[in-house]
Amino acid sequence: EAGVTQFPSHSVIEKGQTVTLRCDPISGHDNLYWYRRVMGKEIKFLLHFVKESKQDESGMPNNRFLAERTGGTYSTLKVQPAELEDSGVYFCASSQVTWTGEFTEAFFGQGTRLTVV
Amino acid sequence: AQKITQTQPGMFVQEKEAVTLDCTYDTSDPSYGLFWYKQPSSGEMIFLIYQGSYDQQNATEGRYSLNFQKARKSANLVISASQLGDSAMYFCAMRDITQGGSEKLVFGKGTKLTVNP
């Protein structure tokens, strides 16, 4: 079974340009999360989708970031226009939804390393 | 708010020895979950072990065990019989469930483990 797939693995763009990151979750996983790690700091939550709906986007830094999840399958995270401080590694994770609050493991992708110059 | 603290930026261990990676947490929730993830140089985040706050026994998964001390709010990861392939970043994380039903992980800054031959 394929794991969580992220594309591209690396991206170098100039300040002011637009970049779109893509995440393909594990098939059947309704939960999809985006996280970001800026160099030397903690991995920070950005947002959480349940199917195609945004359950929580409290971690999105500002309105230059736009996340979508078309049809509840893959997700994209667009940064427009990119700034220097957006550089970091962007992780996507997915998990199954449970209705009993039981533990479900979140599976992570390999991340997209974004460098804004 | 949930907080995870990992005070060891880097740790070194000799192959075949045991090593303990520290993690302390802060939460006011009576029910919570604690995770450890491994991130090798290839970038993916690999789930290692989970401990629920109400679990009676410390979690174990092969060479990984979690030394859970609830009163001290610590959840240290113990790796026995270290192998060269254990060299990686290790992240401690806590599950945070919001009132709106969203779920996310709150991470520490990580510990870089180096296993020496």
Side-chain angles (χ1 to χ4, degrees):
Chain A
E1 180 185 356
V4 177
T5 306
Q6 292 187 246
F7 182 84
S9 55
H10 294 85
S11 180
V12 181
I13 62 171
E14 292 185 351
K15 176 182 172 181
Q17 288 187 323
T18 298
V19 63
T20 300
L21 314 181
R22 174 169 170 145
C23 168
D24 287 79
I26 292 173
S27 177
H29 282 191
D30 288 339
N31 283 322
L32 188 148
Y33 309 84
W34 284 97
Y35 290 86
R36 175 175 77 171
R37 186 179 186 216
V38 173
M39 182 63 71
K41 300 203 171 182
E42 296 92 339
I43 300 170
K44 294 281 195 183
F45 167 82
L46 296 178
L47 88 160
H48 171 204
F49 282 101
V50 177
K51 296 187 179 179
E52 67 275 7
S53 299
K54 291 177 186 174
Q55 186 77 11
D56 181 358
E57 53 184 332
S58 61
M60 295 287 264
N62 50 60
N63 59 10
R64 294 186 293 104
F65 289 74
L66 175 63
E68 294 179 323
R69 189 178 183 192
T70 308
T73 55
Y74 70 92
S75 174
T76 57
L77 179 65
K78 181 191 288 188
V79 185
Q80 179 183 29
E83 298 289 345
L84 299 178
E85 64 263 25
D86 300 333
S87 296
V89 181
Y90 290 76
F91 290 101
C92 175
S94 72
S95 68
Q96 292 179 317
V97 170
T98 68
W99 303 110
T100 59
E102 70 197 57
F103 160 65
T104 54
E105 175 188 344
F107 294 84
F108 281 76
Q110 288 190 298
T112 293
R113 183 175 296 278
L114 175 65
T115 303
V116 183
V117 297
Chain B
Q2 321 275 37
K3 185 176 180 180
I4 295 287
T5 302
Q6 293 179 257
T7 58
Q8 306 155 314
M11 288 284 286
F12 294 86
V13 65
Q14 286 297 122
E15 195 178 6
K16 300 181 185 177
E17 292 186 349
V19 63
T20 297
L21 307 184
D22 294 342
C23 172
T24 57
Y25 60 90
D26 190 19
T27 181
S28 55
D29 292 339
S31 176
Y32 49 90
L34 295 155
F35 301 75
W36 277 93
Y37 283 85
K38 171 185 178 181
Q39 186 186 34
S41 57
S42 52
E44 75 271 29
M45 295 280 283
I46 302 168
F47 165 77
L48 295 178
I49 197 165
Y50 169 81
Q51 180 82 46
S53 58
Y54 290 121
D55 292 344
Q56 294 296 315
Q57 294 184 321
N58 286 346
T60 61
E61 288 287 347
R63 294 186 299 109
Y64 304 108
S65 61
L66 203 151
N67 184 1
F68 182 47
Q69 298 188 42
K70 200 168 180 177
R72 298 178 65 178
K73 293 191 174 181
S74 73
N76 298 339
L77 177 70
V78 181
I79 304 175
S80 63
S82 297
Q83 301 172 356
L84 296 179
D86 294 334
S87 294
M89 282 292 291
Y90 288 81
F91 293 96
C92 181
M94 171 176 281
R95 189 182 186 191
D96 181 12
I97 300 176
T98 68
Q99 287 188 337
S102 176
E103 178 179 326
K104 63 187 178 188
L105 292 173
V106 176
F107 287 88
K109 288 188 176 182
T111 296
K112 183 174 182 180
L113 176 66
T114 302
V115 180
N116 294 317

